[in-house]
Amino acid sequence: QLQLQESGPGLVKPSETLSLTCTVSGGSISSSGYFWGWIRQSPGRGLEWIGSIYYSGTTHYNPSLKSRVTISVDTSKNQFSLKLSSVTAADTAIYYCARPYNTAWYLLWDYWGRGTLVTVSS
Amino acid sequence: SYELTQPPSVSVSPGQTARITCSGDELRHKYASWYQRKPGQSPVLVIYQDTKRPPGIPDRFSGSNSGNTATLTISGTQATDEADYYCQAWDSSSTWEVLFGGGTNLTVV
């Protein structure tokens, strides 16, 4: 059974960089066809896709966050990571890592981590 | 940019039918998925490819997509269905972007 687990600091100061890692177990991150992703939910707001990465390193980012986001992959550790720079209180959220399944016509998210709360505060 | 719009809240009596809509320009040309999220839990996929249910999802959950609107229908709504529901689509053409609706809080009262 595929499992994903987020890890990283739960508190980040304003203007600093948020860094999270997702560790994948029960399957290989190098499995072809999957764009591993980060999704967040802010208090009182809905789900927001942050970005996705293929095991080869190809990335896609949410246009509204693109200037501040970097997602990377480490296949040797079966992990992928998120960096979000210049954070503000608006970036306080539960951050999920997830694996989608997609065909040429649709994409769905079928495996999710448990999520980790990151609070931006001084 | 492309947006998906959902009503913030829907209320339904137990045993009745709940309908949650998701609107987007020409949404019928994209496949819609729906997720259920309960407090303290990760989202769970309940409908994908407009109308299909993953294994383990009760058949009281169904979906449709026509014109500019996708709809999640919950028949015989139970108290356990009380949750936030999100629609999701994927723009794989020009921008490769995953889109989520703003979410609908379903209350069973």
Side-chain angles (χ1 to χ4, degrees), chain A residues 92-121:
Chain A
T92 294
I94 298 172
Y95 286 77
Y96 297 98
C97 59
R99 192 208 78 175
Y101 169 80
N102 70 279
T103 69
W105 303 279
Y106 66 87
L107 178 149
L108 58 89
W109 300 91
D110 54 354
Y111 288 96
W112 297 72
R114 297 180 66 176
T116 186
L117 174 63
V118 178
T119 301
V120 178
S121 176

Side-chain angles (χ1 to χ4, degrees), chain B residues 62-74:
Chain B
S62 63
S64 63
N65 189 0
S66 177
N68 296 326
T69 303
T71 302
L72 172 68
T73 301
I74 309 172

